[in-house]
Amino acid sequence: MLHRNIHLSVNPPGPYYVSVKEDYLYYHYGCDDVQDQGWGCGYRTLQTLCSWVKFQQKATRDVPTISEIQKALVEMGDKPKNFDGSREWIGSFEVSICIDFFFNVPCKIVHIRSGIELEDHLVALESHFNTFGSPIMMGGDTDNSSKCILGVCFKPKSLLILDPHCYDKNPTVDHVIGGGLIKWRMMDTFLESSFYNLCLPQLKCNNKQ
């Protein structure tokens, strides 16, 4: 089950916040009958970002499948032939070139050396949501689970995170929220020992209000 705009069901922790604009769909493990548990989180976050782009462009092409994503990365020369059909992970860089490949939308990559430095980028993330409005892919090394950033709050300082690691094929909104698959995370919950790479699609939403 692909829930639309699921962040609207989560109350912000404070009054001063910004969040994703316009429509997107929540992609997660197994949502299309592909059993990708344990390796597909980056693909699912990419699909969530692609769904937002598709809505903005009113694109006729569908959100790419995991198979189509792998074939595209091989075609672009980013991966060897044996990547197609594998269970290898992808990160923020692969997400960025795939969004450009499928939808002709460039992305900005932001490298953050440590989780403790995420706080220094909150103003830039606020500017992104106000200027473009798109969801953001977040990947890392020690903290290598893909995440989707849907919002920023300043009091208290926190990020709205959508987690693709959902093991239920047809989760209800209550299940997603109750399971912590979408929640506002305080800055001290991100690892000091991990770097983080963010992928920010550079497409302005149709209606920023």
Side-chain angles (χ1 to χ4, degrees):
M1 181 179 295
L2 300 177
H3 295 293
R4 184 180 292 206
N5 300 340
I6 197 168
H7 72 290
L8 297 177
S9 300
V10 182
N11 293 325
Y16 184 28
Y17 72 97
V18 294
S19 61
V20 62
K21 308 296 190 299
E22 297 278 326
D23 294 340
Y24 63 90
L25 297 175
Y26 170 43
Y27 281 78
H28 53 81
Y29 281 162
C31 63
D32 53 4
D33 295 324
V34 175
Q35 297 306 312
D36 57 314
Q37 295 180 11
W39 58 273
C41 59
Y43 299 91
R44 299 309 186 180
T45 301
L46 167 57
Q47 289 175 320
T48 295
L49 268 61
C50 285
S51 74
W52 184 91
V53 172
K54 174 179 168 63
F55 282 131
Q56 296 311 300
Q57 292 185 335
K58 297 180 174 57
T60 55
R61 74 143 295 127
D62 291 330
V63 170
T65 64
I66 289 179
S67 177
E68 289 172 332
I69 292 165
Q70 291 186 334
K71 292 181 187 303
L73 288 167
V74 172
E75 180 180 338
M76 286 185 278
D78 181 70
K79 302 295 182 187
K81 289 184 178 180
N82 62 3
F83 178 77
D84 185 9
S86 73
R87 295 188 173 187
E88 292 190 33
W89 298 7
I90 62 171
S92 295
F93 174 74
E94 289 91 345
V95 167
S96 70
I97 61 176
C98 281
I99 292 175
D100 198 9
F101 179 88
F102 287 110
F103 295 97
N104 196 30
V105 171
C107 296
K108 179 180 180 180
I109 295 290
V110 176
H111 176 69
I112 300 172
R113 293 177 296 180
S114 167
I116 61 174
E117 296 184 10
L118 273 169
E119 185 174 326
D120 299 333
H121 294 265
L122 294 186
V123 172
L125 295 182
E126 176 192 29
S127 177
H128 169 81
F129 284 119
N130 284 331
T131 302
F132 296 101
S134 65
I136 298 169
M137 156 77 175
M138 183 181 195
D141 62 341
T142 306
D143 182 3
N144 55 22
S145 296
S146 169
K147 305 168 186 63
C148 184
I149 303 175
L150 297 178
V152 180
C153 185
F154 287 88
K155 292 182 180 180
K157 293 179 179 178
S158 52
L159 297 176
L160 181 57
I161 299 296
L162 180 63
D163 187 342
H165 298 82
C166 177
Y167 295 89
D168 188 338
K169 180 181 177 181
N170 295 305
T172 64
V173 172
D174 288 343
H175 171 80
V176 174
I177 296 173
L181 295 166
I182 182 168
K183 63 182 177 181
W184 287 92
R185 285 183 53 176
M186 302 299 110
M187 303 313 295
D188 61 3
T189 65
F190 297 97
L191 298 183
E192 179 180 354
S193 61
S194 181
F195 71 71
Y196 291 94
N197 288 326
L198 309 184
C199 172
L200 294 73
Q202 303 292 285
L203 174 67
K204 291 185 178 181
C205 68
N206 294 325
N207 180 8
K208 293 186 291 182
Q209 299 301 317

